[in-house]
Every structure is written in C-alpha cells, then in structure tokens.
C-alpha cells in the first residue's frame, strides 16, 4: 500500500473517529439532557393538573365555609326550620355552587337533611348515599372527626379553619368532597353539627381542567384502572410519585396518582405531552453535526495537500531512487533534496550510506572471490570425507553376520538395524560357540563415526575373549571383553585419553535348545511363552568405561525352554525415541505390548508390526539414536 493511501486512510480514520465521538457525545450526553428537561417539564405539567384539581376542591371548600359558618344554618340544624329548606336548599343552589350532594349532620351524628342532585338530568332526590348513612357508626368517619368529643381538646385549630377536604369514592363515582363544622356567623362555637358538600369528578370537569391547563389528560378511577395502570402504581413511591413513559420520538406520557381521604389510591392521572424540546434539540444537533462534518472535510483536504507537498513528494522521490539503484545496481546515483528538516537529513544520510555501501561492496567482491576459492576446496574435501564414510559403512556391514549364517541355528528371526547416520554405534554378532551358538547385541559409545570405531574394537575384543572363555559362560565372556577394551584404550589406568565403552547383551543357545543362557550389561532380554512377557534385566553397569572396576563381575541367567518361546534384544535407540501426541519416549511397556500382540505371527510379520508402530510413533520427530532390535524363536 502506498504512503499516500496510508496517510489518507489514517486521516480519514481520525476524522471518522472524531465524528463518531462527537455523535456519541451528542447522543449520550446532550440528547439525554434534553430528555431530562423534557421529563422535568412533563412533571410540571402533571403538577398543574393536580393543582387544578386541588383548586376545584379549594373552591368547593370555600363555598362550604359560607354555608357552615352561618347563623341560619345553625338555626336550621337546631330547630329544623322548614323555611331554610324552602329558601336555601333548592336545586338552583346546587347549580350555582356546582355541587352534587349536600348533607347535614347534628352533633349526635344523625343525618338531618341530605340531597343528591344530578347535574346532567337536572333532577334531585333526597336519597341517602351509602357513604353518608342516616346514622354514623361509632367508628370514626374521616369526614366527621371534629364531631368526636376529644377532637377539640387535642386540636387547637380555630373553628373557622377546621376543614376536611379531598377525594372520596362513592357509589356515584369519585367525588371532590369537603366537610366543615356548623358554627355561628362570627365563627364561634359550640359546634352544632357537620355540613358536607360533594362534587362528582365527571367528564365535564375533567374536560374543563384539560382546557384550563391546555393539556391532553386522562383521569381514571379505580374501576377504570387498566393492567398497565396497576403495574405503574406498584412502581410509584413517596420519594418518586411520577412515572414517565416514552411512547416514541414525538411524545411521552407521565403518570401519577391521587389518594382519597382514606389514603387509598383513588385516581390515575395521565398526561400525554408532545416532546417538542427533544425534537427541536435533535434538529439543532443535526445541523451542528453537519457543520462539524463539513468543517472536518475541509480540514482533511487541506492536511492532505500539505502532507503531499511537504512529506509524501520528497519521500516518493527518495523511494524512486532506491528502486532505481536496486534495479540497476548503479551505486553512483545520489538524491538532491535541499530540505533542512528531518526529510532533508534523511536524504543526506542516505547519500552517505550509499557511499559506504559502494565502498563495502567493492571490498566484499574481493572477499567473495576468496570465499569461492575456499568453498571449492571444501567441496572437494567434503566429497572425499563422505566417500570415506560410505566406504566405512561398507566395512561395518561386512563384519555383520549374514542371514544365511544365522539360519544355521535360528530358523525364525528378524533384525531391525538402522544407524542414525551412515555408520553407527549399534551392532550385533552371531558366532558358533562350541556345539551351540552366540548371539550378541551392543550399543557402543555415541553414534556416527566414533560409534562405528568402537563397534570394530568391540568385535575384535569379542573374538579374542571367545578364545579364552568356556563355551556358554556369557558372564565370563562379557568380563573378558570389558578388560580387553579397558586395556586397549588405556582406560584401566590414569592418563587415558578416552572414556568409551558399550552396553552389551549376550545369549548362548546350546545345540539341544532346551535352555538359553543370558547375561547383560545394561541391556535387557525380553522373552514370551504365550502367557506373560518377561524382562530379564541385565546389570546396571556397562563395560569398558573408566569408572567401571577392572575386576567387575556379571551374572548368568539360565532360562528353561519347555515349549515354543520368543526372545527379543534391543538397544535404547528404540525405547528412548521421542514421539506420539505427548512427545514422550516409546518405552519398554509399548514394546512389550507389541511382543504380546504379535507372538502368534512369524518373525518377519512381527518385525513389520514393531517397525511400523515405531516409525508411526516417531512421526516428524528427529531420530535421536541408532536403532537395533533382534527377535528370534526357539
């Protein structure tokens, strides 16, 4: 990607990030503030509705005070003046005061007179509403608390100010209610009774309040409550008496309740409000965001032009020179930029660098010629070494017994012999020993050329030792090989230059094949009779090394062979090879399981099972050592 494209992408990304932050700020901070203001205004609006209802109650109470604090009313309650009823308690009085009920009670809580007036039908009757019984029970009625004997004793409120107002649930619906004690015109006692006025909260009154407040309101009583209303009521608390619901981007609804004189929820008040503040705010913010975008684009274009002239053009010129030098190989070219800033310094340093490269290239060309001559000599020398090692491999293979030779005593056997390198340190021998035969497996020090040298030395030591040891004494044979190697390498005394040796396992099989004698120096013999794989462990010490005593001893193990048995000898190149999913050693247990698995097969088939399992387990892991496994049947 070109520098111009990168700069464009970076500046555009910064611009987009700035716009995203601005947009996020507007949406997460400013618009929520508009919403908060909208909600506060909604609460103010619903409070105006509450205030209007309270004003209606106050107006009702004011009218009631004129009636209750009147000597004519006192005379009526005491003497049941029929003229008072004829003159004052007529339908026109209900119309004038905009009330639906008026009830008079004496001090014994007996209803003296009452009337219900229907403002719709303009009809009245003297029926007693259930909520205003003819005789009040001993239970305190919330509208007539001041008639109780102890009320004035415990309450120091002046008689003219005693008033009980609020909402009341009646059989005719929710009423605005007011109750006052009947007293003289000069507001003096004693209290002669109680007067109650009520006004039904009808649709006409609700519409009047809506017109007065200029709001879209709905007022529902308990019987009209919806499931949503009841859910909202549960959410309202004394500290948070309002619930606001955002309907859509253009309107919201605010809810609150009013309680009756028994402190129970009587009304659900709902006001639907157009969200003009948020709408206007969003419009203003939209224009602000467009202004920011326009300004940002202008700044982006100016920055691009500036960077193109001051930064990108000089760097492009420097890039073209570098490409030209690479393509032509002409180190005599230089760049001419008369800038005093970092780009000018870069151009000057580039010219100095080319000077040094040109000088170094000339010197390197001379050295390269010398290296080519040295490389050619090394190639010739390496070819000679490789050829020598290959020939050494042929020599090592020539000392190994042939299959035909081993078939003289072993009718069914297999051999896996794979040096890690061209030559190796693992080797095996088969020789006639008296009337029987000897089969040995050795793991000499190291691998490659050093290991191969030790195998040849060990082969010679074996031949010499067999001349002096009685037939079948495998332990004595190993002891003699140990001594010969120590003496030959000078490792039986101080000052020896080497510390080499081998691990060795020796089997002697007599002519009748009824027994097998085994002795091992750090190598085991595995045998299987069809029932259980046994490991006959050799000594824990190898032979030949400096730290092994010259007169060390080993022990023979004689195995009886009553029926067909299979035997296996292996060096640690197989059991210690790393592989598998867990990258751990192949191990003896896995080998022993393979021996049990393939016991019934001929030895060549067993070789395939063991070898394929081993190579699959090794997988892509590097071969760590020479591998030697011999199996045979008796």
């Amino acid at each position: 990607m070109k520098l111009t494209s990168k700069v464009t992408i970076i500046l555009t990304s910064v611009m987009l990030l700035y716009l995203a932050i601005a947009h996020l700020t507007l949406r997460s901070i400013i618009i929520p503030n508009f919403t908060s203001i909208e909600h506060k205004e909604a609460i103010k609006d619903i409070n105006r509705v509450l205030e209007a209802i309270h004003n209606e109650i106050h107006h009702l109470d004011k009218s009631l005070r004129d009636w209750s604090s009147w000597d004519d009313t006192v005379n009526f309650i005491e003497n049941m003046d029929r003229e008072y009823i004829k003159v004052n308690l007529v339908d026109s009085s209900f119309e004038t005061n905009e009330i639906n009920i008026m009830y008079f009670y004496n001090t014994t809580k007996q209803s003296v007179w009452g009337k219900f007036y229907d403002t719709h039908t303009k009809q009245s009757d003297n029926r007693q509403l259930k909520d205003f019984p003819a005789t009040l029970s001993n239970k305190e009625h919330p509208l007539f608390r001041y008639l109780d004997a102890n009320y004035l004793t415990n309450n120091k409120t002046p008689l003219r100010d005693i008033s009980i107002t609020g909402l009341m649930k009646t059989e005719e619906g929710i009423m605005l209610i007011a109750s006052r004690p009947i007293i003289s015109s000069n507001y003096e006692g004693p209290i002669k009774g109680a007067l109650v006025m009520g006004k039904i909260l009808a649709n006409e009154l609700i519409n009047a309040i809506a017109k007065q407040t200029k709001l879209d309101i709905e007022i529902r009583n308990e019987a009209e409550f919806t499931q949503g209303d009841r859910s909202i009521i549960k959410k309202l608390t004394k500290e948070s008496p309002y619930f606001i619901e955002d309907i859509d981007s253009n309107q919201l609804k605010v809810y609150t309740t009013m309680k009756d004189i028994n402190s129970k929820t009587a009304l659900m008040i709902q006001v639907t409000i157009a969200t003009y503040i948020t709408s206007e705010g969003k419009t203003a913010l939209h224009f602000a965001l467009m202004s920011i975008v326009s300004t940002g684009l202008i700044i982006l274009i100016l920055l691009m032009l500036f960077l193109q002239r001051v930064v990108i053009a000089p760097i492009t010129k420097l890039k073209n020179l570098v490409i030209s030098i690479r393509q032509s190989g002409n180190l005599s070219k230089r760049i001419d930029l008369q800038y005093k800033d970092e780009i000018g310094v870069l151009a000057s340093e580039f010219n100095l660098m080319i000077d040094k490269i040109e000088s170094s290239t000339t010197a390197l060309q001379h050295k390269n010629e010398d290296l080519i001559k040295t490389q050619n000599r090394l190639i010739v020398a390496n070819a000679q070494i490789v050829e020598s090692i290959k020939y050494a491999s042929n020599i090592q293979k020539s000392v190994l017994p042939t299959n035909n030779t081993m078939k003289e005593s072993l009718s069914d056997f297999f051999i896996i012999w794979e040096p890690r390198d061209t030559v190796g340190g693992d080797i095996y021998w088969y020789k006639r020993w008296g009337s029987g035969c000897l089969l040995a497996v050795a793991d000499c020090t190291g691998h490659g050329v050093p290991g191969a040298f030790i195998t040849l030395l060990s082969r010679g030591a074996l031949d010499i030792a067999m001349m002096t040891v009685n037939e079948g004494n495998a332990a004595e044979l190993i002891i003699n090989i140990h001594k010969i190697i120590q003496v030959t390498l000078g490792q039986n005394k101080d000052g020896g230059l080497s510390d080499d040796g081998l691990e060795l396992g020796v089997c002697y099989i007599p002519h009748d094949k009824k027994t097998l004698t085994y002795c091992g120096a750090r190598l085991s013999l595995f045998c299987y009779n069809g029932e259980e794989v046994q490991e006959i462990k050799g000594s824990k010490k190898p032979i030949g090394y400096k730290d092994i005593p010259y007169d060390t001893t080993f022990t023979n193990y004689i195995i009886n062979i009553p029926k067909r048995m299979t035997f296996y000898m292996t060096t640690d190149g197989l059991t210690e090879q790393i592989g598998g999913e867990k990258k751990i050693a192949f191990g003896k247990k896995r080998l022993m399981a393979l021996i049990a698995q393939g016991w019934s097969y001929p030895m060549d088939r067993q070789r395939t099972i063991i070898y394929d399992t081993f190579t699959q387990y090794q997988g892509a892991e590097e071969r760590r050592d020479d591998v030697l496994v011999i199996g045979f049947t008796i």
Side-chain angles (χ1 to χ4, degrees):
M1 184 182 292
K2 293 184 177 180
L3 183 60
T4 304
S5 301
K6 290 183 178 180
V7 171
T8 302
I9 290 173
I10 292 173
L11 292 178
T12 303
S13 299
V14 171
M15 182 63 188
L16 292 175
L17 179 61
Y18 168 72
L19 293 177
I21 293 173
H23 183 261
L24 184 62
T25 302
L26 295 178
R27 289 187 61 86
S28 61
I29 298 177
I30 298 178
I31 291 180
N33 284 339
F34 286 145
T35 303
S36 177
I37 294 171
E38 197 85 64
H39 287 183
K40 290 178 181 178
E41 289 298 316
I43 292 173
K44 288 181 181 179
D45 287 340
I46 202 168
N47 280 334
R48 288 199 293 122
V49 175
L50 294 175
E51 184 179 358
I53 295 175
H54 286 299
N55 285 341
E56 290 293 331
I57 296 173
H58 176 71
H59 177 72
L60 178 64
D61 183 56
K62 186 177 179 182
S63 298
L64 176 62
R65 185 179 64 182
D66 294 339
W67 282 75
S68 65
S69 303
W70 189 19
D71 291 339
D72 288 355
T73 304
V74 173
N75 182 52
F76 169 71
I77 203 70
E78 287 181 336
N79 304 313
M80 286 302 296
D81 184 2
R82 309 305 296 179
E83 187 66 23
Y84 180 88
I85 297 174
K86 182 179 180 181
V87 173
N88 297 298
L89 301 180
V90 293
D91 290 350
S92 59
S93 296
F94 284 80
E95 284 286 346
T96 303
N97 290 284
E98 297 180 339
I99 60 176
N100 296 99
I101 64 167
M102 185 183 292
Y103 287 101
F104 293 81
Y105 283 84
N106 59 26
T107 55
T108 62
K109 300 183 181 180
Q110 299 292 320
S111 176
V112 175
W113 187 91
K115 185 177 183 179
F116 176 82
Y117 179 78
D118 190 334
T119 55
H120 290 288
T121 62
K122 309 299 182 181
Q123 299 294 321
S124 62
D125 58 64
N126 294 326
R127 61 190 170 97
Q128 201 80 26
L129 296 181
K130 293 179 181 179
D131 300 284
F132 301 94
T135 301
L136 298 175
S137 65
N138 291 329
K139 183 178 179 182
E140 182 181 273
H141 193 291
L143 289 176
F144 305 107
R145 290 194 299 269
Y146 49 79
L147 293 180
D148 294 332
N150 296 327
Y151 181 82
L152 295 178
T153 302
N154 299 326
N155 195 321
K156 302 302 182 182
T157 306
L159 293 177
R160 67 174 296 168
D161 296 330
I162 295 176
S163 173
I164 298 173
T165 61
L167 301 176
M168 186 173 178
K169 300 175 185 176
T170 71
E171 59 191 277
E172 295 295 332
I174 298 295
M175 281 192 178
L176 311 183
I177 206 79
S179 171
R180 279 181 174 269
I182 298 174
I183 56 177
S184 64
S185 297
N186 55 2
Y187 306 110
E188 293 179 355
I191 296 174
K192 300 299 181 176
L195 178 56
V196 178
M197 286 185 178
K199 181 179 183 179
I200 297 175
L201 185 63
N203 288 334
E204 291 82 354
L205 180 56
I206 294 174
N207 292 335
I209 293 173
K211 185 176 181 181
Q212 175 188 342
T213 57
K214 298 181 180 179
L215 294 172
D216 179 7
I217 66 174
E218 291 184 29
I219 300 178
R220 295 182 287 276
N221 59 40
E222 185 177 16
E224 299 170 329
F225 284 176
T226 65
Q227 189 64 34
D229 291 339
R230 299 185 189 281
S231 176
I232 290 171
I233 289 171
K234 292 179 181 179
K235 298 177 183 178
L236 300 180
T237 63
K238 184 177 180 180
E239 293 76 18
S240 180
Y242 308 100
F243 179 79
I244 298 176
E245 179 183 13
D246 293 307
I247 304 303
D248 52 38
S249 60
N250 298 317
Q251 62 179 355
L252 60 79
K253 291 182 179 180
V254 58
Y255 303 83
T256 192
T257 59
M258 285 190 71
K259 297 185 181 299
D260 61 14
I261 57 176
N262 292 309
S263 298
K264 295 182 178 179
T265 302
L267 296 177
M268 167 63 76
I269 301 173
Q270 170 192 311
V271 180
T272 303
I273 301 171
T275 55
Y276 66 93
I277 296 177
T278 303
S279 298
E280 291 295 329
K282 287 182 178 178
T283 301
L285 291 177
H286 176 73
F287 284 114
L289 188 61
M290 293 304 296
S291 299
I292 292 173
V293 171
S294 301
T295 303
L297 287 175
I298 294 172
I299 294 174
L300 179 63
I301 292 171
L302 292 176
L303 278 174
M304 285 298 302
L305 293 175
F306 174 78
L307 291 174
Q308 178 65 34
R309 180 177 180 83
V310 176
V311 178
I312 297 176
I315 291 178
T316 301
K317 186 175 181 180
L318 180 59
K319 178 204 71 174
N320 292 336
L321 177 64
V322 172
I323 293 174
S324 175
I325 292 174
R326 177 180 61 81
Q327 291 176 344
S328 64
N330 184 2
L331 295 175
S332 63
K333 295 182 179 181
R334 300 294 183 269
I335 188 170
D336 182 20
L337 287 177
Q338 303 299 324
Y339 287 79
K340 296 183 179 180
D341 55 13
E342 287 80 357
I343 295 177
V345 173
L346 177 63
S348 177
E349 291 298 321
F350 178 79
N351 289 335
L352 292 175
M353 181 183 67
I354 293 299
D355 291 341
K356 292 182 179 180
I357 291 175
E358 186 177 17
S359 175
S360 299
T361 300
T362 302
L364 286 173
Q365 287 175 347
H366 295 303
K367 290 183 179 180
N368 189 51
E369 293 173 357
D370 295 337
L371 287 174
I372 291 173
K373 294 178 182 178
T374 302
Q375 182 183 23
N376 291 334
R377 289 194 296 269
L378 289 174
I379 291 173
V380 173
N382 182 67
Q384 292 173 347
I385 293 172
V386 170
E387 188 64 28
S388 297
I389 292 174
K390 288 181 179 180
Y391 191 75
S393 174
N394 294 333
I395 295 174
Q396 186 178 43
K397 291 176 182 177
S398 68
V399 302
L400 298 175
T402 65
N403 288 351
N404 290 331
T405 302
M406 294 177 65
K407 286 180 180 179
E408 295 175 358
S409 300
L410 302 175
S411 60
D412 191 12
F413 65 92
F414 74 79
I415 300 170
I416 300 174
W417 181 66
E418 285 191 355
R420 195 196 74 168
D421 304 311
T422 305
V423 293
D426 286 6
I427 197 167
Y428 61 95
W429 302 297
Y430 170 84
K431 292 179 71 69
R432 298 293 303 177
W433 195 3
S435 62
C437 66
L438 172 141
L439 180 62
V441 169
D443 183 356
C444 301
T445 301
H447 37 73
V449 174
F453 273 109
I454 301 299
T455 63
L456 296 178
L457 176 62
S458 301
R459 167 60 187 271
L462 172 67
D463 291 340
I464 295 172
M466 289 184 68
M467 297 178 186
T468 60
V469 176
N470 293 330
E471 176 186 350
N473 193 345
E476 190 65 26
L477 181 68
I478 291 178
I479 292 171
N480 281 10
I481 294 173
H482 164 69
K483 293 178 179 179
I484 293 170
I485 291 176
Q486 274 200 341
V487 171
T488 302
L489 296 178
Q491 295 176 172
N492 63 327
K493 57 186 178 180
D494 295 335
L497 298 178
S498 64
D499 187 14
D500 297 301
L502 65 151
E503 298 171 358
L504 180 63
V506 175
C507 288
Y508 169 72
I509 305 168
H511 179 71
D512 58 10
K513 297 183 180 179
K514 293 182 178 180
T515 62
L516 182 145
T517 302
Y518 178 73
C519 182
R522 286 195 70 177
L523 287 184
S524 297
L525 173 69
F526 298 92
C527 55
Y528 187 52
N529 60 4
E531 297 176 0
E532 180 184 5
V533 178
Q534 292 185 335
E535 178 186 4
I536 300 174
K537 295 183 178 181
S539 169
K540 293 183 179 180
K541 55 192 175 185
I543 61 174
Y545 294 94
K546 285 183 178 181
D547 57 351
I548 306 301
Y550 180 79
D551 56 353
T552 189
T553 60
F554 292 88
T555 303
N556 285 320
Y557 294 92
I558 299 176
I559 303 167
N560 293 318
I561 308 175
K563 61 179 182 179
R564 177 179 178 270
M565 292 184 68
T566 56
F567 299 89
Y568 308 85
M569 290 190 290
T570 178
T571 60
D572 59 10
L574 181 134
T575 57
E576 295 184 2
Q577 174 62 45
I578 298 299
E581 293 182 359
K582 297 182 179 180
K583 307 301 180 184
I584 58 176
F586 188 82
K588 292 181 180 180
K589 288 184 179 180
R590 190 172 277 104
L591 174 60
M592 293 167 74
L594 292 175
I595 290 171
Q597 172 187 338
W599 181 74
S600 61
Y601 296 123
M603 279 295 167
D604 58 346
R605 174 62 176 156
Q606 292 189 44
R607 180 190 190 281
T608 301
I609 293 173
I610 293 174
Y611 185 77
D612 290 348
T613 303
F614 171 73
T615 54
Q616 183 179 1
Y617 185 84
Q618 176 185 342
E621 291 293 320
E622 182 182 359
R623 182 70 64 85
R624 298 198 169 198
D625 201 353
D626 303 325
V627 174
L628 173 58
V629 185
I630 293 180
F632 57 92
T633 302
I634 297 180

